[in-house]
Amino acid sequence: MLGRRVITLPIRLSRLYSLQGSCQQRARSAPYPKRTHNCGSLSARDAGSRVVLAGWILPERKGKAISFFPIKDSHGTTQLIVNHADNPASSSTLSEIPVESTVLIEGTVLLRPSNAKRSDPTGEIDVQVDKVTLLNPATNLPFLPSNPHNLPNEDVRSRHRHLDLRRTALSENIKKRSQVAHLVRNILHTIGFTEVETPVLLRSSPEGAREFLVPTRINTASPTSQEPLFYALQQSPQQPKQLLICSGGVDRYFQIAKCFRDEDGRKDRQPEFTQIDLEMAFVSWSGDEKRTAWKIGGSEVRDVIETLLREIWQQVENVALPPRLRVMTYHDAMTHFGSDKPDTRFGLEITNLTDLLPANGEDEVLECIVVREPEFINASHSFKHDYDVDHITLTEENLQTWLLGSDSARQILSQEDQSIVNDALKIKSGDDVWLTRRSRLPKGGSTVLGKVRLGLAELARFQGEFTPTKDPHFLWITEFPLFTRDDSDKDFLAKGRWSSSHHPFTAPMWEDIPALYQGDIETVRGQHYDLVLNGVEIGGGSVRIHDPLMQDHIFTNILQLSEKEKTPFNQLVRALHCGAPPHGGIALGFDRIMAMLCNTQSIRDVIAFPKTSLGTDLLFKSPAPVTSQVLYEYGIQPRSARLTKL
């Protein structure tokens, strides 16, 4: 019986192969040699060596006597050569194997002639093929990742992300991400931080962005249960990390944390994202007046982050950052650049004209951008917009009247006023002026002229007349308003009430504490700091409130949270009552930082399996419906509906 089995098994296998295609064109499920090198490691010092390579075969370049086949893996590419006369079997086999199939190559390393050498890592050698083994043929490919000049649209590539990741550009991004994560961990461990994993499943709380809810069967075991229970995926580890520091068990915490927010999709947003999360005990709470620009607490956080960034940019980009990164207040950023995350790689600064004109008693300022730089003037002439702004091209005819006749001036001005403004702006014929009004106290994240400024730069860049510098422009923005009514993303929770510009645990500047308690809410500034790189916010944090009475005052009297809305914060307030130390922290957007380091416009290019701009996953087909039985088990579907279906 045993003998019969030994004899008949190969026969059955051979019949199977004959039914489904040639054995040569099937995946190999038998032993094969172990590879000796990867496809990016061979160099001139390996000449004469016998090697075994494994990777994906790329299109053939066929000559009369020799064919060339690149073989690629995640480490690089090596060029194979096959002599038609000396090795016809391998030549024929490689020619018949579909492009992007996985192959095993056995051969000998040869030095290239000096005139054929290239500068890439394997550019000094070829591998002369002795034997080819097909490991797995590639069939019915939706596109060829090895051809970067003929790629399909992003939706197609997202549905086949497993194939898209084979592209060198994406695989290099993923490896660089791993390198930076390793650097971050090493640096933070070196300077005394403890890595702690915090819960992902938390309780829903009104902290700002919309949450993802996770149903649970915990309460469905009770027949008297009426309401389903839900976890919320963490928007950030904000409360857990503060509680760690409040405990006294951890002095400096960090985590490369997964976070989740149900936000509208953008190129720099994902429903699940990663942040480098830090919290520190005993950070300074009041500002140091001797500092030139950093007039808030948390200078220890600033020191750590600047150390981290200097190391990353030096080791990954070979770029030396300055000893100190520039600091700008929110007020100055909004006044001069019209944005709370200004791109300082170009000028086009905004000028406040109100201080040059007679006082009119209005709580508004008149401001303008004067465009005269050659790289922006054509964009200024052709920029199309729907903003409430005056756009004036100056000529000899209107040089002395452009302000007097503008709709934005809204006050009686004299010729002397016009001359004063012209002299201050150094106006001349050929300049373009963009003119509008805004509230004297800056609000929100951008002004009309801030949007115009960015639009002009983007158009000039598209037209090929402006190229931003490649040098990284880092910038700290400080002294934000502590509370806001101008954030539409938060109003779904605030419902017209004040909301926290950062989050409700941010400490006020000590000078503004009297205004906090007197109800002068709009003027209260926070010890909040954002980190901006080339006009993109890559991080944000603050000094936290460690006074439980102040925290309760903000919850109750300013944010006007109900007792039910305050419940998710009870554990934090209790911890503050237990002698919590002054503390503060920050979260850096890891995906955004990596997009900058990889020089890509979309964070999807630095995430292995990203979601689309709509928050869907075309590869795993999520989100997806579940059965009514599952809904019933989680208590989401009413029992009556279930009984009706039964």
Side-chain angles (χ1 to χ4, degrees):
M1 182 67 70
L2 288 175
R4 179 179 296 176
R5 286 179 180 173
V6 172
I7 293 171
T8 58
L9 183 57
I11 295 174
R12 289 174 181 170
L13 282 175
S14 66
R15 287 176 179 171
L16 180 64
Y17 280 125
S18 66
L19 287 172
Q20 297 188 3
S22 166
C23 181
Q24 186 180 11
Q25 292 294 315
R26 288 180 54 83
R28 184 176 179 84
S29 300
Y32 54 85
K34 179 181 178 180
R35 65 178 179 177
T36 60
H37 299 78
N38 64 58
C39 295
S41 63
L42 295 173
S43 64
R45 64 177 176 271
D46 298 299
S49 301
R50 292 280 301 169
V51 297
V52 179
L53 302 177
W56 289 267
I57 199 71
L58 301 185
E60 175 185 12
R61 290 189 296 114
K62 192 167 187 177
K64 291 183 179 180
I66 295 176
S67 283
F68 301 91
F69 296 86
I71 183 173
K72 177 185 180 296
D73 64 11
S74 65
H75 299 279
T77 303
T78 297
Q79 183 168 267
L80 310 175
I81 59 173
V82 185
N83 190 297
H84 300 162
D86 295 344
N87 194 350
S90 294
S91 176
S92 175
T93 300
L94 278 172
S95 295
E96 292 174 1
I97 291 174
V99 172
E100 299 287 350
S101 296
T102 313
V103 298
L104 186 89
I105 300 295
E106 300 173 59
T108 305
V109 180
L110 303 179
L111 279 176
R112 288 184 181 176
S114 57
N115 61 351
K117 292 181 179 180
R118 299 194 305 267
S119 60
D120 54 274
T122 60
E124 295 181 302
I125 58 92
D126 294 319
V127 172
Q128 182 171 281
V129 177
D130 297 329
K131 185 178 179 181
V132 179
T133 302
L134 175 63
L135 299 179
N136 200 2
T139 57
N140 300 320
L141 296 183
F143 63 94
L144 294 179
S146 56
N147 184 355
H149 305 295
N150 191 29
L151 292 174
N153 63 44
E154 189 173 22
D155 278 0
V156 173
R157 288 185 283 116
S158 295
R159 282 195 292 272
H160 304 277
R161 184 68 171 185
H162 56 282
L163 189 60
D164 200 30
L165 282 169
R166 199 175 295 178
R167 286 195 292 131
T168 299
L170 289 187
S171 64
E172 289 298 321
N173 289 352
I174 299 302
K175 284 187 283 187
K176 184 178 282 191
R177 183 185 180 110
S178 174
Q179 177 191 2
V180 174
H182 182 70
L183 271 174
V184 167
R185 283 191 165 94
N186 283 350
I187 294 165
L188 292 177
H189 276 299
T190 300
I191 56 179
F193 279 79
T194 302
E195 184 172 9
V196 183
E197 295 180 3
T198 57
V200 172
L201 295 175
L202 293 170
R203 176 176 179 157
S204 177
S205 62
E207 292 183 27
R210 295 181 186 273
E211 301 167 314
F212 287 103
L213 299 179
V214 180
T216 174
R217 296 181 294 112
I218 288 175
N219 71 325
T220 59
S222 170
T224 61
S225 175
Q226 297 296 319
E227 291 185 344
L229 299 182
F230 295 88
Y231 295 107
L233 296 179
Q234 64 174 5
Q235 297 182 36
S236 75
Q238 187 61 47
Q239 285 200 66
K241 71 179 182 179
Q242 285 192 242
L243 288 165
L244 275 172
I245 302 301
C246 291
S247 74
V250 178
D251 186 75
R252 289 183 161 196
Y253 142 94
F254 90 94
Q255 181 181 190
I256 299 180
K258 271 288 186 184
C259 304
F260 307 85
R261 292 178 187 172
D262 190 4
E263 298 178 311
D264 295 335
R266 300 178 190 172
K267 65 181 180 181
D268 62 350
R269 283 185 179 180
Q270 283 277 288
E272 55 178 309
F273 57 96
T274 306
Q275 63 187 36
I276 303 170
D277 205 52
L278 309 177
E279 196 77 10
M280 302 166 60
F282 300 107
V283 302
S284 56
W285 203 83
S286 59
D288 182 354
E289 295 299 331
K290 295 180 181 179
R291 289 180 177 268
T292 56
W294 191 277
K295 299 185 183 301
I296 60 175
S299 58
E300 298 87 348
V301 178
R302 178 192 183 189
D303 295 341
V304 167
I305 293 302
E306 292 187 357
T307 297
L308 189 64
L309 293 174
R310 278 196 301 273
E311 286 295 317
I312 292 173
W313 255 258
Q314 182 64 60
Q315 296 194 40
V316 177
E317 297 291 282
N318 196 28
V319 171
L321 298 183
R324 274 299 190 197
L325 303 184
R326 184 179 176 187
V327 179
M328 183 183 298
T329 66
Y330 168 83
H331 183 274
D332 286 346
M334 294 290 284
T335 300
H336 297 295
F337 297 96
S339 172
D340 64 357
K341 45 181 179 293
D343 190 341
T344 55
R345 292 175 297 172
F346 60 95
L348 298 181
E349 289 195 28
I350 299 168
T351 301
N352 179 355
L353 300 182
T354 299
D355 294 341
L356 302 173
L357 299 172
N360 61 3
E362 292 186 26
D363 191 25
E364 288 187 325
V365 295
L366 180 66
E367 58 183 10
C368 73
I369 294 177
V370 180
V371 183
R372 57 171 63 100
E373 296 89 339
E375 61 266 38
F376 297 115
I377 194 67
N378 288 334
S380 185
H381 290 327
S382 57
F383 182 58
K384 299 187 185 309
H385 64 92
D386 55 3
Y387 303 126
D388 183 15
V389 59
D390 288 343
H391 177 206
I392 308 161
T393 298
L394 299 182
T395 65
E396 292 297 338
E397 287 73 24
N398 67 4
L399 198 60
Q400 301 302 322
T401 59
W402 64 271
L403 181 59
L404 301 178
S406 70
D407 294 332
S408 296
R410 297 183 195 168
Q411 67 184 100
I412 299 174
L413 299 174
S414 66
Q415 191 61 55
E416 182 182 359
D417 297 328
Q418 176 76 74
S419 298
I420 290 172
V421 169
N422 282 3
D423 290 343
L425 299 178
K426 298 181 173 55
I427 286 293
K428 62 181 184 301
S429 179
D431 292 345
D432 254 20
V433 177
W434 296 82
L435 184 71
T436 192
R437 304 182 77 85
R438 64 163 174 85
S439 62
R440 181 174 289 277
L441 193 66
K443 298 178 181 179
S446 62
T447 66
V448 170
L449 285 189
K451 295 173 183 176
V452 168
R453 178 178 180 270
L454 292 177
L456 295 179
E458 185 63 29
L459 181 57
R461 188 174 182 176
F462 177 78
Q463 293 173 341
E465 297 185 339
F466 166 61
T467 302
T469 175
K470 293 183 179 180
D471 296 332
H473 277 228
F474 285 95
L475 179 66
W476 288 105
I477 303 296
T478 63
E479 301 179 39
F480 285 82
L482 190 56
F483 305 103
T484 181
R485 281 194 173 115
D486 294 280
D487 190 338
S488 58
D489 289 341
K490 296 181 177 181
D491 195 53
F492 78 97
L493 284 173
K495 296 181 173 60
R497 297 173 292 181
W498 287 106
S499 59
S500 298
S501 299
H502 186 44
H503 57 54
F505 320 119
T506 300
M509 292 188 67
W510 72 270
E511 301 96 328
D512 295 344
I513 292 176
L516 177 76
Y517 286 106
Q518 291 165 8
D520 194 4
I521 308 304
E522 197 169 36
T523 65
V524 179
R525 297 163 297 164
Q527 297 198 63
H528 167 194
Y529 31 81
D530 273 0
L531 184 61
V532 177
L533 172 57
N534 298 345
V536 176
E537 179 194 335
I538 62 168
S542 68
V543 177
R544 320 304 188 191
I545 298 168
H546 65 283
D547 177 354
L549 299 180
M550 179 185 290
Q551 185 67 81
D552 185 68
H553 175 78
I554 287 174
F555 285 154
T556 304
N557 300 319
I558 298 177
L559 302 180
Q560 298 178 355
L561 301 183
S562 66
E563 290 302 315
K564 185 175 182 180
E565 288 174 317
K566 287 193 289 184
T567 300
F569 307 124
N570 284 347
Q571 62 279 348
L572 180 58
V573 176
R574 285 197 299 268
L576 298 182
H577 276 288
C578 295
H583 57 288
I586 193 170
L588 298 179
F590 190 35
D591 307 303
R592 293 184 182 182
I593 289 174
M594 290 312 307
M596 294 288 189
L597 289 170
C598 295
N599 194 30
T600 179
Q601 294 295 309
S602 173
I603 63 172
R604 292 193 286 274
D605 290 339
V606 298
I607 300 172
F609 297 101
K611 304 292 189 291
T612 69
S613 60
L614 298 176
T616 59
D617 190 318
L618 301 182
L619 175 62
F620 296 103
K621 307 295 189 296
S622 65
V626 297
T627 65
S628 57
Q629 174 65 34
V630 172
L631 293 176
Y632 169 67
E633 290 177 359
Y634 284 97
I636 297 175
Q637 184 171 330
R639 292 178 184 270
S640 58
R642 173 62 181 162
L643 291 173
T644 300
K645 291 186 178 181
L646 291 175

